[in-house]
Amino acid sequence: MTPVLDLRGIDKSFGSVQVLHDVDFVAYPGEVTALVGDNGAGKTTLVKCIGGVHDLDRGEFYFDGVPVRPRSPRDANALGIEIVHQDLALCENLDIVENMFLGRERTRGLSLDYSTMEEEATRVLSNLSVRTIGSVRRPVAALSGGQRQTVAIARAVLWDSRLVVLDEPAAALGVAQTQQVLELVRRLADKGLAVVLISHNMNDVFAVSDRIAALYLGRMAAQVRTSDITHREVVELITAGRSGKLGLRA
Amino acid sequence: MSTDTPKEQGAMKSGPVRMADADFAADRRQNDMAGALRDYWAQVRSGDLGAIPAILGIVALVALFTALRPETFLTDRNIANLFTQALPVTILAMGLVFVLLLGEIDLSAGVTSGVCAAVMAKLIVDSGQPWYVAVLGAVVTGIVIGTAIGWLVAVIRIPSFVVTLALFLGLQGITLRLVGEGGTVPVRDDVIVALANKNMPVALGWALAAACAAGYAAVQLWRWRQQHSRGLSVKPLQMVVARVAVVAAALLGGTLLLSQDRAPSPLITLAGIPWGVLLVGVLLIACTFVLGRTPYGRHVYAVGGNAEAARRAGVNVTRIRISVFMIASTLAAIAGIVAASRLNSVTPSSGAGNDLLYAVGAAVIGGTSLFGGRGKARDAVLGGLVIAIIDNGLGLLGTKAYLNFLITGSVLLLAASIDALARRRRSSAGR
Ligand SMILES: Nc1ncnc2c1ncn2[C@@H]1O[C@H](COP(=O)(O)OP(=O)(O)OP(=O)(O)O)[C@@H](O)[C@H]1O
Ligand SMILES: [Mg+2]
């Protein structure tokens, strides 16, 4: 099975600070790959490199087996990569529909096709079972943190994509909503998409993922099948970078 | 959420995934009039004032000046005068709305209008070009200046107020060079002069006003029907009708005022809508469409609201930044042409006076935020009227020049305070 996403030897520095060191990372279609690591391990940085927000310094980027190099979010979207950013990246002054279609508006002639956009947005949001959002024409500024998170997720699943990356999507969500997001993550994978889920919650990771990749101080400690690893081993990989014969060599 | 039975964590991976029922579809806002009014009131209370300050300002100022100068202020002649007085500032402000939407500023818009007017006047007077070539020359000059500002702001990343402050000085030098020290270039071309000094035939004015009102009603009602039939969230029909009625009343009322014979002597007739008002109307429709109904407009608001979010959504932020300065300078060129038409001449100080301050004031009074992300093209028209009424009224009162400066400065500060307070209110109300 060719991986949808195959990164090899990724380096990324900000000025003199190297954040990612020789990182390999794979995501397969139909699977949920959990990306774990301590705060500051470089998860978000890796995600931004995948999404074209940052340009990577060195390394190979294969998408569906083809070497590519997304240099802007638009490039990444065109490949079929959708990202739910940790800091959400919504425009507070625009309403829910406008945010979901930002950059990829539906038009009829010169004019925006609001009706179609609203219908599609409503459909996706209904599938996410969003509650108490009220009208989809409400500005995002008027939404709670969890509702914003749902809008950000809805935006990512609106498009026909091959790879969906969610950077701590459940961070601001209540119990029921978290459950729904996990169900959605699973459903996306079952549809044949490659899904990457970043989370600090080991229960969620084990409940939903097929593979686990652990970053330790900007290095990929290990990427293994979830069924081949225990809870304790993952925690050791996250905190020490190694566990038994897994992980980085000392 | 009716089917939310907690699942065992491990079972989820293999078992069929059940999604809770969508309560969302039923969770729409009330579509009745009371609900809509309640929403509107909540919106206003949370600091989203819209056109309210400008309309209150117009009413209050008209009352004030009518009381102080009952025999001159509300005459047909003065009202027509007031409209033409408002033209350059309104057009300048409409361009500034685009820049302000990004939270940027163009301090050089006023002098840009001066340079462009000088280019036009020189093309007519010195090179004997026809008016359309001269106008084209002025507009191209505006586009070039706007591109330069946009490039310095968006690519080099110099703060816009520094770039445009530098140009504010530099461009005055260019006008001075073109016009000559102490010089004046007269503008006598019939078409240019007609812009601010001649009126369209009364019948044509009525026909256009009626067509606009009917067109507006048709668009609004068609849109309402469209949304209603597709089951989308809609405003109540009464609300749409009320809005159409207000716009139609304003259009026809304005036409009625401007169709009165306002000639100083009974021997001639002087009536009709000034051509410049038509120009502002066309620009208003165009800018409203661009900002409100096109992807480009959405992107302008998005960059003004959260530039990084817009970038991540695939919006070319640099291009949007450059484009708003181009639009502002192009509209400044048009404002300069209208101002030259009104004064029949271009001088080295054209556009260097209060124009820019007035235009910024007009946009902000109309409801455009200095913090970016909020504003409409119509703000320029409403605010431009407020500014013109103040200017005109103070002229009738014969106030001293120093008082004029103080009063106009205070009005701008007041508008900016309302904007800042409304913004604080919004952020505390989470809007
Ligand atoms: N734009 C930047 N400039 C400089 N350093 C950065 C930048 N972005 C991230 N870093 C640094 O890179 C490291 C990794 O950050 P990153 O956000 O990728 O961590 P993370 O794994 O997502 O952490 P968390 O779990 O807290 O979200 C941190 O030390 C951070 O300080
Ligand atoms: Mg992170």
Side-chain angles (χ1 to χ4, degrees):
Chain A
M1 184 166 49
T2 18
V4 172
L5 178 74
D6 188 355
L7 302 176
R8 296 185 201 153
I10 302 292
D11 284 351
K12 175 69 194 172
S13 315
F14 295 107
S16 58
V17 189
Q18 189 165 357
V19 176
L20 296 179
H21 304 261
D22 195 24
V23 169
D24 295 345
F25 182 72
V26 243
Y28 290 95
E31 291 192 356
V32 176
T33 309
L35 180 59
V36 297
D38 251 338
N39 292 128
K43 304 180 297 294
T44 298
T45 307
L46 182 60
V47 165
K48 286 185 177 170
C49 288
I50 295 170
V53 177
H54 294 324
D55 198 6
L56 41 91
D57 297 341
R58 242 180 319 282
E60 292 158 65
F61 191 132
Y62 295 94
F63 197 80
D64 280 331
V66 184
V68 292
R69 191 73 180 269
R71 280 171 205 284
S72 71
R74 197 173 269 273
D75 290 352
N77 288 342
L79 285 169
I81 300 175
E82 291 297 328
I83 305 227
V84 179
H85 288 283
Q86 187 171 16
D87 49 355
L88 300 184
L90 300 171
C91 293
E92 302 217 332
N93 57 335
L94 300 185
D95 67 31
I96 296 172
V97 179
E98 290 169 336
N99 263 291
M100 287 175 65
F101 282 88
L102 184 58
R104 290 176 278 188
E105 290 83 359
R106 297 254 186 274
T107 53
R108 186 146 18 90
L110 280 177
S111 166
L112 289 168
D113 189 353
Y114 268 109
S115 303
T116 304
M117 289 196 280
E118 191 174 326
E119 274 171 1
E120 288 182 33
T122 309
R123 207 189 54 233
V124 172
L125 284 165
S126 309
N127 283 338
L128 284 177
S129 187
V130 184
R131 300 215 295 166
T132 58
I133 266 189
S135 160
V136 286
R137 306 319 306 264
R138 265 172 89 187
V140 164
L143 302 183
S144 78
Q147 290 170 331
R148 287 177 201 209
Q149 206 133 31
T150 323
V151 172
I153 295 170
R155 176 165 77 183
V157 302
L158 185 60
W159 308 97
D160 270 335
S161 47
R162 302 271 301 121
L163 170 69
V164 174
V165 184
L166 304 102
D167 195 347
E168 299 191 29
L173 297 183
V175 179
Q177 289 286 312
T178 302
Q179 196 61 29
Q180 301 227 337
V181 168
L182 293 180
E183 286 174 16
L184 173 79
V185 161
R186 195 61 245 169
R187 232 171 24 137
L188 289 175
D190 293 344
K191 259 172 55 183
L193 274 68
V195 183
V196 175
L197 174 73
I198 297 180
S199 175
H200 287 293
N201 184 325
M202 285 308 124
N203 289 331
D204 294 353
V205 166
F206 274 90
V208 83
S209 73
D210 302 286
R211 274 167 215 272
I212 297 179
L215 268 180
Y216 175 73
L217 296 180
R219 291 187 165 78
M220 189 56 76
Q223 180 162 8
V224 291
R225 296 201 137 271
T226 307
S227 48
D228 299 344
I229 196 169
T230 65
H231 209 297
R232 195 178 49 82
E233 286 171 319
V234 175
V235 173
E236 278 177 13
L237 283 173
I238 291 172
T239 52
R242 48 180 304 157
S243 166
K245 53 188 190 327
L246 279 173
L248 301 162
R249 265 166 302 229
Chain B
M1 204 164 320
S2 46
T3 64
D4 200 34
T5 43
K7 287 184 205 61
E8 260 181 74
Q9 297 267 327
M12 215 176 88
K13 226 184 293 176
S14 44
V17 173
R18 246 186 321 148
M19 294 296 287
D21 282 340
D23 343 44
F24 178 72
D27 202 8
R28 291 274 172 72
R29 239 196 269 188
Q30 279 174 288
N31 284 345
D32 59 45
M33 195 65 183
L37 284 176
R38 240 190 338 266
D39 284 349
Y40 180 69
W41 180 234
Q43 196 180 328
V44 169
R45 287 194 19 154
S46 70
D48 202 350
L49 299 176
I52 294 176
I55 289 172
L56 287 183
I58 291 175
V59 172
L61 286 166
V62 167
L64 177 73
F65 288 123
T66 311
L68 291 175
R69 283 287 175 277
E71 66 288 353
T72 45
F73 183 71
L74 265 193
T75 57
D76 292 328
R77 183 132 47 105
N78 192 47
I79 288 170
N81 196 13
L82 203 152
F83 272 101
T84 43
Q85 216 169 341
L87 294 176
V89 166
T90 301
I91 298 172
L92 208 54
M94 214 178 282
L96 281 172
V97 166
F98 284 80
V99 174
L100 292 173
L101 274 175
L102 293 200
E104 308 274 359
I105 186 78
D106 184 354
L107 297 173
S108 66
V111 292
T112 299
S113 74
V115 171
C116 297
V119 167
M120 175 199 71
K122 293 291 270 187
L123 280 174
I124 293 177
V125 174
D126 289 7
S127 323
Q129 299 289 342
W131 67 269
Y132 47 89
V133 174
V135 166
L136 191 68
V139 168
V140 169
T141 308
I143 293 175
V144 170
I145 294 172
T147 313
I149 300 173
W151 186 77
L152 289 167
V153 172
V155 180
I156 309 292
R157 298 302 279 140
I158 311 173
S160 59
F161 92 93
V162 177
V163 172
T164 56
L165 194 57
L167 279 177
F168 174 75
L169 287 177
L171 290 177
Q172 288 185 63
I174 294 185
T175 315
L176 193 58
R177 175 76 182 72
L178 282 175
V179 178
E181 222 150 317
T184 319
V185 184
V187 176
R188 295 214 185 80
D189 181 89
D190 286 341
V191 176
I192 304 287
V193 169
L195 199 53
N197 297 297
K198 291 278 187 304
N199 309 311
M200 61 175 82
V202 172
L204 180 61
W206 279 114
L208 279 177
C212 282
Y216 184 73
V219 168
Q220 293 293 322
L221 292 175
W222 181 80
R223 203 175 279 161
W224 184 89
R225 244 199 59 177
Q226 177 90 358
Q227 290 172 339
H228 187 75
S229 66
R230 289 168 83 163
L232 302 172
S233 53
V234 286
K235 293 205 170 64
L237 185 59
Q238 297 99 307
M239 196 98 151
V240 178
V241 171
R243 196 160 66 199
V244 168
V246 168
V247 169
L251 273 170
L252 299 176
T255 310
L256 182 64
L257 276 174
L258 292 171
S259 298
Q260 307 299 317
D261 183 9
R262 51 182 180 269
S265 104
L267 298 176
I268 50 171
T269 51
L270 180 62
I273 299 171
W275 286 104
V277 173
L278 175 67
L279 175 65
V280 167
V282 170
L283 291 175
L284 174 65
I285 292 171
C287 290
T288 302
F289 178 77
V290 167
L291 283 178
R293 310 294 307 178
T294 64
Y296 170 79
R298 288 304 88 191
H299 297 172
V300 170
Y301 285 97
V303 173
N306 185 343
E308 179 58 22
R311 190 174 85 85
R312 290 195 202 158
V315 173
N316 188 333
V317 175
T318 307
R319 207 152 60 195
I320 297 286
R321 285 211 179 99
I322 296 178
S323 71
V324 294
F325 286 101
M326 291 172 72
I327 291 173
S329 297
T330 307
L331 285 171
I334 298 175
I337 296 169
V338 175
S341 161
R342 205 165 86 80
L343 303 174
N344 294 321
S345 67
V346 178
T347 68
S349 63
S350 283
N354 287 342
D355 298 21
L356 175 83
L357 211 69
Y358 280 175
V360 175
V364 176
I365 291 168
T368 296
S369 172
L370 291 165
F371 302 97
R374 279 166 180 276
K376 291 193 164 122
R378 66 142 201 250
D379 298 351
V381 174
L382 291 173
L385 274 178
V386 172
I387 293 282
I389 293 173
I390 294 175
D391 205 29
N392 176 287
L394 292 181
L396 292 181
L397 292 180
T399 43
K400 297 253 166 28
Y402 82 92
L403 256 184
N404 273 350
F405 281 118
L406 280 175
I407 292 173
T408 316
S410 312
V411 170
L412 178 55
L413 261 186
L414 182 70
S417 313
I418 294 176
D419 177 31
L421 290 175
R423 178 182 139 95
R424 255 182 44 187
R425 186 93 201 219
R426 276 199 304 272
S427 57
S428 68
R431 289 189 76 96

